[in-house]
Amino acid sequence: MNGTDWLGFIGVTLILVAYFLNVRNMVKSTHLSFILLNLIGASLACLASILLKYLPFIILEGVWALISLNSLIHYFKKG
């Protein structure tokens, strides 16, 4: 695996960990760890997609990262 593969692999793994923890009721979607796992994971996966020049996943992961960033901003505003 090359560096791009690793970026994508790590990013997707972080997103899946967040999803698993949420589905198992181990962390709520409003918890900081859930938000950060999604933000970092989607950002890494988006970067890998950019490097691969694969537009569908650039859009998917980019929007996912922006939604997560919005959640992070709201988290600290409530704070």
Side-chain angles (χ1 to χ4, degrees), residues 5-6 8 10 14 17 24-25 28 36 40 42 47-48 50 79:
D5 293 332
W6 278 107
I10 292 167
L14 293 174
V17 166
R24 301 286 300 185
N25 293 318
K28 294 184 179 195
L36 289 176
I40 295 166
L47 177 58
I50 290 168

Side-chain angles (χ1 to χ4, degrees), residues 58-72:
I58 294 170
I59 294 168
L60 173 68
E61 300 300 345
V63 170
W64 196 308
L66 289 173
I67 291 169
S68 299
L69 179 60
N70 185 52
S71 296
L72 184 64

Side-chain angles (χ1 to χ4, degrees), residues 20-74:
F20 174 81
L21 293 173
N22 181 255
V23 168
R24 301 286 300 185
N25 293 318
M26 299 170 79
V27 65
K28 294 184 179 195
S29 63
T30 56
H31 195 273
L32 182 60
S33 62
F34 180 83
I35 295 168
L36 289 176
L37 283 168
N38 275 290
L39 177 60
I40 295 166
S43 297
L44 291 175
C46 185
L47 177 58
S49 298
I50 290 168
L51 295 172
L52 292 170
K53 299 177 182 164
Y54 192 63
L55 187 57
F57 280 97
I58 294 170
I59 294 168
L60 173 68
E61 300 300 345
V63 170
W64 196 308
L66 289 173
I67 291 169
S68 299
L69 179 60
N70 185 52
S71 296
L72 184 64
I73 291 167
H74 281 97

